[in-house]
Amino acid sequence: MEVTEIPEAPPEVQETSEAPETPEAPETPEAPETLEAPETSEVPEQQAVPRVRRRGRGRTTLLIATAAVLGVVAGTCVGYLIQADRGPTELPSLSQPSLPQAGGKGPQPLSAAQDRRARTDGDLRKLLVERPSGARDTTSAEGVDGWMGLDAYADGYTRPTTAYSTLIDDEFRRAAVTSWQTGSTHSVLIRLVQYRQEDRLAARERVADELYGEAEYDTDSWSVPGTGDGMAYVRKQPENKAGYLPMYTAEAHAWRGDIAMQIFVNDSRPITKEKIMDLAERQMERL
């Protein structure tokens, strides 16, 4: 009987035993490649390093500041100790040695022609322009011997009482006057008014007031050379009064130092620019 051939089956079992080849799976340890996630941990490491550095800088700055303070304190203490060991410094004597007096003569005082103050503190009447030859002197009608007192000068204003108080506040000192007449209607009046000027430039202020008043009239005006703000005016229309001839007027106002100049010209005929400007320029040249 051929039944005995059955024992050949075991070799087939061995073929099925090839399944154990699966142990090759241990090669899976390559899975740790998924540990690449720790790369994200680099951010905390980068943040941690600056924190350590900041703390180190703060400590260094504190140490430097503390050392500086200690150095200043130590230096101050050493300075006090050095000064304490030194003896007192002697003060210089209050009495000074006498200085030798210079020999020879001192400089000569300036003449009135060179010293303007000496000129204006003298006889103010000598600084007035001279009357033209043939002119009739009318100074007595304006003052006494060429001088005008405070009362007489204030009376020349529209409101004498107010003018009197204003002149006192302006430190009025004195006024010199000259006047003359040529022909039957042409007259000239010149005043030099001097102020003390201890508190302010009263001469300049008075001239400014006079110039402001002339702005109310219809005039021709010109600057007086060499005076800065000095002006000369000629009124275009004459003044008319019943029983009198029409009268044309011209004025000039300027100042120099403590003296205010006033010039008034009247005539029944129009007054030329040359006439008033000539008087103003010649008078200012003498101040």
Side-chain angles (χ1 to χ4, degrees), residues 243-279:
Y244 294 90
L245 294 172
M247 191 63 62
Y248 292 89
T249 61
E251 299 182 15
H253 300 274
W255 66 280
R256 180 162 292 159
D258 56 356
I259 296 177
M261 178 202 72
Q262 300 175 336
I263 299 178
F264 304 91
V265 180
N266 297 328
D267 201 337
S268 59
R269 294 175 295 181
I271 302 170
T272 62
K273 170 187 175 182
E274 289 75 17
K275 182 65 178 179
I276 186 65
M277 290 293 290
D278 176 67
L279 285 171

